[in-house]
Amino acid sequence: MTDSPYSVDSLGKTWQNMRRHSRTSAMRNLAVGADGTRAELFEAGLSQNLREISRRIHRTDQDDLPSYRFGPLLVFEHSKVGGVSRNIYVARVRDQLVLRVMHDVVCAAAQKQLGTSLKPPKPIEMVDSFRREVAAISCPFVLRTDIQSFFESVPRHRAAEHAANLIDERITQGLLLRWSEHIIARPAWHSGRGGDFLVAGLPPGLSLSSSLAELYLVNLDGQARKRLHWFRYVDDILVLCKSEAEAQAAHEWVCGAIENLSLSISIPKTKISRLQDGVSWLGLMHFNSETRADPVRVRRWLKRFVSMKRQAVAQIRACSDPEGRTSVVAAFHRNLRKEIRGVGNSRPHWYSRVSDHGLWKELDSSLHAMIRSLHRMASLPAPYGRLLPSVHSHIAARRQRLSAPQNADQGQCANSPDNQGLTPIKGQ
């Protein structure tokens, strides 16, 4: 039992990994599930909770499956760009721990048995690979499509059985079968069990759903890469073609391959177009000779700055003393600089690798106007010059670091088009 991934020690190590941010090592808050238990409360009795979870997992019922039972999921509506909403599911804290261990076991088995990583590639690495292949085609066409309701449409039993067949460890096999039997969700806006419903497919938001979904498409990726210039990020598919006829043939093949998996293509999101006309993919606008930031994403970034200013304005109006207003403005600047550095959901590391057409100076102009307005409201002198936070300066500094002569012995910079397939920055 000590060698089991569900032993008390193993569960404890996984819990510590869940609670620490992988990049910053800061303490991470876990979402609260349907039972209302917070991570802090679970952690207060951690030793006892881990022993109880391990005991239930290693004990079997009459059906020869682990006696551990997964609780109902809490479901939230998440609004996407364009006003479309989708459901995001949150498990109980204890279930989050068990599902994370199952996810790790499935990923390790896929790596060992198939030589495949179930972790999606970094989008920027996929973009770099795409640009390299674009450079070899004179006038490329692009097929863009999407798998309709991907996670909810994946046959859960088939995906779980596929994973169980890769694993040589009986407990995880049993947990996969137990979990996939039926999954109940409870809307966050309902109290009690009156609104409970059965979940179809793989619930988005769970770590195990991500690994099972990737595993389900492993064979599709293998077949597609033998035939096409294939790029897939989760359910977002792009195929690079040499002609419109080739793009039409690729479309027919992709539709058939997806249907064989009991999935379907999203017709409204399927489009064949010339790359020279601009193709939006992974938050960037792609053209024959360059990649630009998507203006829609930039506007969303500006809206986050506006939201931060509104919060600061409300706090300043509630302050009756100069010290309080000064403290609010200082906190606003700290949060602003974190956002610019990419600590939040912004993407400066992406934008430092694409062409600059003045978007960042325009964003700086709006940002600096907000800062001056906030300082006037707080009756404080406004910063100026290099004292002002600057999106343009931060991205330019990142671009300069990318262009450092790491390959000076070859006479190329690390960010040159010849070296990594990246697009040169206009005006430099």
Side-chain angles (χ1 to χ4, degrees), residues 151-266:
F151 281 90
E152 294 88 342
S153 300
V154 173
R156 186 169 65 241
H157 291 287
R158 285 174 59 183
E161 288 177 1
H162 188 188
N165 292 335
L166 294 178
I167 300 169
D168 54 4
E169 188 258 314
R170 292 191 60 188
I171 295 179
T172 303
Q173 292 174 341
L175 286 172
L176 281 168
L177 295 177
R178 175 74 75 199
W179 176 76
S180 64
E181 285 177 344
H182 64 278
I183 300 176
I184 298 176
R186 182 171 300 165
W189 52 91
H190 277 272
S191 60
R193 302 180 180 179
D196 288 5
F197 62 93
L198 290 176
V199 179
L202 301 172
L206 306 185
S207 56
L208 182 61
S209 294
S210 175
S211 55
L212 292 181
E214 285 295 315
L215 182 61
Y216 192 67
L217 296 184
V218 163
N219 290 335
L220 171 67
D221 289 337
Q223 295 172 16
R225 290 191 183 108
K226 293 177 181 179
R227 306 171 57 100
L228 309 167
H229 297 282
W230 172 267
F231 301 90
R232 181 183 66 83
Y233 184 75
V234 191
D235 58 349
D236 196 348
I237 296 171
L238 182 145
V239 181
L240 187 63
C241 305
K242 296 179 180 179
S243 65
E244 186 173 6
E246 183 179 315
Q248 293 287 356
H251 176 250
E252 293 179 7
W253 184 89
V254 171
C255 288
I258 293 294
E259 289 177 1
N260 290 338
L261 294 171
S262 301
L263 302 172
S264 60
I265 290 296
S266 174

Side-chain angles (χ1 to χ4, degrees), residues 18-154:
M18 290 173 57
R19 288 287 279 159
R20 291 289 179 183
H21 196 285
S22 58
R23 189 174 61 179
T24 64
S25 297
M27 188 66 71
R28 173 184 287 164
N29 292 324
L30 302 181
V32 180
D35 62 350
T37 302
R38 296 183 176 275
E40 294 77 11
L41 180 60
F42 183 84
E43 206 161 37
L46 183 62
S47 179
Q48 180 180 351
N49 287 328
L50 295 182
R51 285 197 298 270
E52 178 63 16
I53 292 172
S54 181
R55 183 182 66 82
R56 292 189 180 186
I57 288 176
H58 288 93
R59 189 177 64 188
T60 57
D61 284 345
Q62 294 180 352
D63 56 5
D64 204 29
L65 297 179
S67 62
Y68 185 87
R69 293 293 191 274
F70 295 92
L73 303 173
L74 199 62
V75 58
F76 297 86
E77 279 193 358
H78 174 68
S79 298
K80 300 176 66 177
V81 180
V84 180
S85 62
R86 64 168 183 167
N87 289 339
I88 297 294
Y89 297 86
V90 177
R92 301 180 303 175
V93 170
R94 63 178 58 241
D95 291 343
Q96 291 179 41
L97 174 58
V98 177
L99 291 170
R100 176 62 177 271
V101 177
M102 295 167 65
H103 163 81
D104 292 343
V105 171
V106 171
C107 289
Q111 187 67 54
K112 179 181 178 181
Q113 303 291 346
L114 306 176
T116 301
S117 172
L118 298 184
K119 183 179 180 180
K122 293 181 180 179
I124 197 63
E125 294 177 356
M126 188 173 291
V127 168
D128 289 348
S129 176
F130 171 74
R131 295 308 311 180
R132 284 193 290 271
E133 296 203 21
V134 165
I137 303 176
S138 59
C139 188
F141 282 76
V142 170
L143 165 64
R144 282 275 286 105
T145 189
D146 192 277
I147 301 176
Q148 180 75 35
S149 303
F150 175 44
F151 281 90
E152 294 88 342
S153 300
V154 173

Side-chain angles (χ1 to χ4, degrees), residues 307-321 324-332 334-335 374 377-378:
S307 177
M308 293 167 63
K309 186 205 169 185
R310 285 176 179 168
Q311 293 178 3
V313 166
Q315 293 172 355
I316 288 173
R317 287 174 175 169
C319 291
S320 58
D321 59 292
R325 293 194 293 270
T326 302
S327 177
V328 170
V329 171
F332 170 77
R334 286 194 300 271
N335 294 332
L374 188 68
M377 176 173 290

